[in-house]
Amino acid sequence: MEKKLGVVRIAPNVLCTIAKLTALAVPGVVRLASVPGLLGRRAGGEGVRVDVSEDAVSVDLYLVVEQGKNLLALSRETQSQVTRAINDMVGMPVREVNIHILDVEAAR
């Protein structure tokens, strides 16, 4: 019989940080875009919004990407990496990772 030790709660800002750092590590993502009004009832910061409901995570990422990249492939890679990071680091299921590409910048 398994003894219940208590409850573990992960702050939504922790999920935002995980999503942000993971997205920025994807080649082709230049930075996260500032979007006014991201807070509301959800946790958010610069370029990321996280909603936790029924113990599952939904993430919205607002990105500025590098010119010349395949945007579909970049978006799918970002979705995959963010989902994996949240699953691996906090063990929470990810319902969705929505990618919003707001701008394209020339490579430096």
Side-chain angles (χ1 to χ4, degrees):
M1 180 153 66
E2 192 175 311
K3 186 176 181 180
K4 185 170 179 160
L5 298 175
V7 176
V8 176
R9 290 201 174 97
I10 307 296
N13 285 337
V14 171
L15 299 170
C16 285
T17 300
I18 292 169
K20 179 179 181 176
L21 294 176
T22 303
L24 290 171
V26 174
V29 175
V30 175
R31 60 185 163 82
L32 276 70
S34 295
V35 180
L38 262 189
L39 290 175
R41 63 180 267 283
R42 301 174 181 187
E46 182 180 319
V48 61
R49 179 171 54 187
V50 171
D51 185 30
V52 180
S53 64
E54 299 174 14
D55 295 325
V57 181
S58 296
V59 180
D60 286 283
L61 291 167
Y62 299 84
L63 306 178
V64 176
V65 299
E66 188 178 315
Q67 177 184 357
K69 296 290 183 179
N70 180 317
L71 301 182
L72 180 59
L74 176 67
S75 297
R76 287 184 175 158
E77 179 65 18
T78 305
Q79 288 173 318
S80 173
Q81 293 298 323
V82 169
T83 299
R84 181 201 49 78
I86 291 172
N87 281 324
D88 290 352
M89 294 176 132
V90 297
M92 293 179 75
V94 177
R95 178 175 296 117
E96 61 189 6
V97 177
N98 300 307
I99 305 296
H100 307 271
I101 297 175
L102 299 186
D103 204 356
V104 177
E105 285 187 1
R108 295 177 188 174

